[in-house]
Amino acid sequence: MSCVGVFMLLFAACKKEAVSSGGTPTPVDTTTSAPPAAAFDINNINDTYESVVSFSNYTKWASYNVHDPSIKKFGDYYYCYSTDVGYGISVRSGLQIRKSKDLVEWTFVGWVFPSIPAKGAAYIKSLGGTPFDALWAPYVLKVGAEYRLYYSLSSAVGRLSCIGLATSSSPEGPWVEKDLVVTSPPDNTGSVQTNAIDPTVLTTASGEQYMYYGSGWDGIYVLKLDPATGLAASAGYKGKRIANRGFTNGAYNGNIEGPEVIYNPTLNKYYLFIAYDWLQTKYNTRVCRADNPEGPFYDYKGTDANTNVDHGPMITAPYQFAGHGGWQGISHCTVFTDDASNYYFASQARPVVNSFFMDLHVRKMFWTTDNWPVVSPERYAWEDNAVVSKDSIAGTWERIQLDYKVVPGYGNEQVNPDLQTAVSTTLAADGSITSGSSTGTWTYAAPWLQLSWSTGTTDKVFVQKGRDWENKKSTIIFSGLNNTGITVWGKKK
C-alpha cells in the first residue's frame, strides 16, 4: 500500500514514508444530512474529480480517492474499506468505508476509526518512531457473527510497522481495536523480516486461517492465525516467506507487496496475487498458485514463487486504448465473489493525465482453460454474461499485449509507467487477422477466441460483453493469455 494526496507515500530503499501535503483539515460536521443527491448516471464517472476534491465533499467521493481496497459482500451490499487518502488535500485518518449494491454506484459510509488505533501507535512509539497519521491497506472478513478488520500502521523509521485487528457486530461499525497481530522492528536491528503491512486473510474449508502480508525487505509472508481470536496462533511469530522477486546488482527489481490470496473450490487451488513495482507508475499484478494455503506457490512457468526471480503471469499493468490518456498504478488488488460465485478483481487506478488522482476500478475476473485468472480490460458496468455470437467477432479491434521490462528501483527510478498501448487489429470474416505487419488466423468457439499468429504465438482469450469506458458506449471485449503466459486484452471498435 501507499498513497499520494493527503499523504504522499514514497518508497525509499524498500520503505514507505509519509509526507503531509497540507495542514490540519478544517473540522466538518458529519452529523447533518446531506441534500438529496442527483440521480446516478454512469456517464458522470470521470477519470479526474477536481469538483469534489474538497474534504467537505467527502460524501460525493463515491469511487474516487480509493487506494488499496478490500471489498466483501455482506448482506445486500458490497462494502469497500480503503487507505486514508485524498487528492491534494488533508483527510482524517481512520480508514474509509463505502458501500454499493451493484459495484458501480458507491456511497460513502464513513470511517472505521475516529483516530489512529492506540495499540498500534503505542508499539511504534515504544521503538522510537512516530506513527503516520494515516492507516493503510485494510482487510475485512466475517467470522460467524463477528466482522474483523485488519489495519496497517507504519512510520518514517524503516520497516517499523504493525498490523492490528479491530472487530464489530456490523460492517459499518462501531469498531473496537483488539490487539496487534504481527509487528516488524526497525530495519537497523539486523533482523530479517518483511514489512508488517498489507494484510489479507484466508479461511480454509476446514476452518484454519492464514494471514499473508508484506512489502519490500523480504517479500511476502504467511502467518497462521487462531480462528477463535483472529490473532497469531503463536504470539510473537512473524511467519515464513512464501514469495519473492528478482534482483539486479543485489537490489530488488522493484517493490513487492500487497498480497491477496483466494481459494477457488472448483479448481481446488489457492491463488496468490502480488503487486510489483512503484505504486504511482509501473504498479502491476502477478499471480501464482498452490495446492496448499502455506504453499509452495508456483508461477506460470512452474517456478516456486519464493525464488529470487520475477514471476508471472502479469494480469494487470499500465495500459492505453486509443483516444485516451491511459491508466497506470493498477494493482494492490482485492478479489471477491458475488452471490452467484462470479469473480471480481478491484484495485485503484491512476489516470495518466494526472496520476495523483486515485479511482476505484472493479473488473470481472475469469479463468482460462488451464486454470489461470485473467481480468477484464474494462471496468464492470452491469454487463450480462450472455454468450457473444460468432457473427459479432469480425471487425476492427484494439489489442493490447501486456509486455514488461525491468527498471530496477522505486519512485526515483520508475518514473515512466511503461504504458502498454493498443494496436489496431482486424479480424476479417474469412478468418484472417491483420495487425500492422503481423498476420494470422482466428477461430471462435464461444466464449473462447483463438488468435493464431504467423510467428507461432497463440492468444486464447475469453470474449464478453462490456462497456467501452473510453468512449462511453457498449462493446465487446476480450481477455486471456497467449501460449507464453503473457496477458492479451482487446476491445472492439
Side-chain angles (χ1 to χ4, degrees):
M1 167 276 132
S2 41
C3 29
V4 180
V6 108
F7 294 96
M8 190 170 296
L9 306 180
L10 306 176
F11 290 109
C14 297
K15 73 180 180 182
K16 302 183 178 182
E17 302 174 347
V19 180
S20 176
S21 64
T24 302
T26 303
V28 176
D29 182 0
T30 63
T31 62
T32 57
S33 298
F40 179 75
D41 182 351
I42 193 172
N43 292 311
N44 289 334
I45 298 177
N46 298 310
D47 301 347
T48 60
Y49 43 90
E50 292 92 339
S51 64
V52 298
V53 295
S54 168
F55 184 71
S56 63
N57 285 319
Y58 71 88
T59 59
K60 300 177 183 179
W61 285 355
S63 58
Y64 303 143
N65 286 336
V66 175
H67 215 277
D68 316 316
S70 175
I71 299 176
K72 289 286 191 302
K73 192 167 193 286
F74 300 131
D76 293 332
Y77 286 93
Y78 297 91
Y79 282 86
C80 174
Y81 306 79
S82 59
T83 285
D84 295 329
V85 295
Y87 170 79
I89 61 168
S90 291
V91 297
R92 56 160 288 183
S93 58
L95 296 173
Q96 299 172 13
I97 309 174
R98 295 164 173 80
K99 67 181 180 180
S100 172
K101 286 190 173 182
D102 62 3
L103 297 174
V104 178
E105 181 181 3
W106 291 90
T107 301
F108 198 94
V109 173
W111 288 266
V112 173
F113 299 106
S115 59
I116 297 299
K119 292 184 179 181
Y123 167 74
I124 289 175
K125 291 177 182 178
S126 73
L127 292 176
T130 299
F132 289 144
D133 192 23
L135 296 172
W136 300 343
Y139 184 82
V140 69
L141 75 162
K142 187 179 182 183
V143 180
E146 182 177 71
Y147 295 88
R148 295 178 179 175
L149 183 138
Y150 296 88
Y151 68 84
S152 306
L153 180 62
S154 192
S155 70
V157 178
R159 206 186 59 184
L160 179 54
S161 305
C162 61
I163 295 171
L165 169 65
T167 62
S168 175
S169 60
S170 164
E172 298 185 17
W175 297 85
V176 177
E177 183 186 15
K178 290 299 184 180
D179 213 337
L180 300 184
V181 182
V182 64
T183 61
S184 54
D187 59 3
N188 60 7
T189 60
S191 61
V192 176
Q193 188 194 343
T194 191
N195 199 10
I197 61 172
D198 296 0
T200 187
V201 175
L202 174 83
T203 304
T204 68
S206 61
E208 292 182 316
Q209 284 191 339
Y210 296 89
M211 173 179 283
Y212 307 80
Y213 74 97
S215 173
W217 277 281
D218 196 39
I220 305 300
Y221 278 36
V222 60
L223 172 67
K224 191 170 185 180
L225 301 181
D226 177 352
T229 65
L231 303 175
S234 300
Y237 182 53
K238 309 298 185 182
K240 67 176 184 178
R241 197 183 72 189
I242 56 167
N244 211 12
R245 66 170 301 185
F247 290 75
T248 298
N249 297 324
Y252 269 128
N253 286 341
N255 203 30
I256 173 173
E257 64 176 5
E260 171 77 316
V261 177
I262 65 165
Y263 174 68
N264 184 320
T266 302
L267 304 178
N268 193 28
K269 293 282 186 184
Y270 297 88
Y271 290 85
L272 168 64
F273 302 79
I274 305 173
Y276 271 25
D277 291 331
W278 176 237
L279 65 105
Q280 194 176 355
T281 54
K282 282 171 60 64
Y283 225 25
N284 60 88
T285 307
R286 310 300 176 104
V287 63
C288 298
R289 63 189 184 188
D291 294 324
N292 299 291
E294 294 184 278
F297 287 84
Y298 295 98
D299 66 14
Y300 187 85
K301 297 179 179 179
T303 303
D304 189 332
N306 203 25
T307 55
N308 297 342
V309 298
D310 284 354
H311 302 279
M314 179 176 71
I315 62 172
T316 67
Y319 69 95
Q320 181 183 44
F321 281 114
H324 185 266
W327 292 95
Q328 62 192 60
I330 311 166
S331 195
H332 199 134
C333 69
T334 177
V335 178
F336 58 97
T337 58
D338 61 18
D339 293 337
S341 297
N342 296 307
Y343 284 85
Y344 297 86
F345 173 109
S347 72
Q348 70 271 3
R350 297 168 178 267
V352 173
V353 65
N354 186 336
S355 62
F356 291 97
F357 287 98
M358 298 154 283
D359 298 75
L360 174 63
H361 281 200
V362 179
R363 303 163 189 265
K364 281 186 175 180
M365 193 170 82
F366 304 95
W367 302 90
T368 67
T369 54
D370 54 352
N371 301 335
W372 287 100
V374 293
V375 302
S376 173
E378 295 279 9
R379 282 167 278 173
Y380 175 69
W382 310 304
E383 61 267 20
D384 62 39
N385 293 315
V387 173
V388 175
S389 63
K390 185 176 182 179
D391 58 11
S392 299
I393 301 299
T396 302
W397 293 70
E398 295 180 61
R399 176 182 175 275
I400 298 177
Q401 182 168 302
L402 296 187
D403 292 318
Y404 179 80
K405 61 182 179 182
V406 173
V407 179
Y410 299 89
N412 291 333
E413 295 80 20
Q414 296 181 347
V415 295
N416 190 316
D418 190 22
L419 289 175
Q420 303 303 297
T421 57
V423 176
S424 182
T425 302
T426 300
L427 275 59
D430 64 1
S432 62
I433 306 172
T434 303
S435 181
S437 60
S438 300
T439 60
T441 59
W442 66 270
T443 57
Y444 182 62
W448 294 102
L449 171 66
Q450 181 164 306
L451 310 180
S452 301
W453 299 95
S454 57
T455 58
T457 302
T458 300
D459 306 338
K460 192 169 186 180
V461 295
F462 187 97
V463 178
Q464 55 176 314
K465 296 179 180 179
R467 172 177 167 82
D468 181 341
W469 281 81
E470 289 77 19
N471 297 294
K472 298 186 176 183
K473 66 177 185 178
S474 297
T475 188
I476 303 171
I477 52 185
F478 67 62
S479 179
L481 301 175
N482 69 18
N483 57 326
T484 65
I486 296 176
T487 292
V488 180
W489 284 347
K491 176 178 71 174
K492 193 175 184 184
K493 291 185 175 180

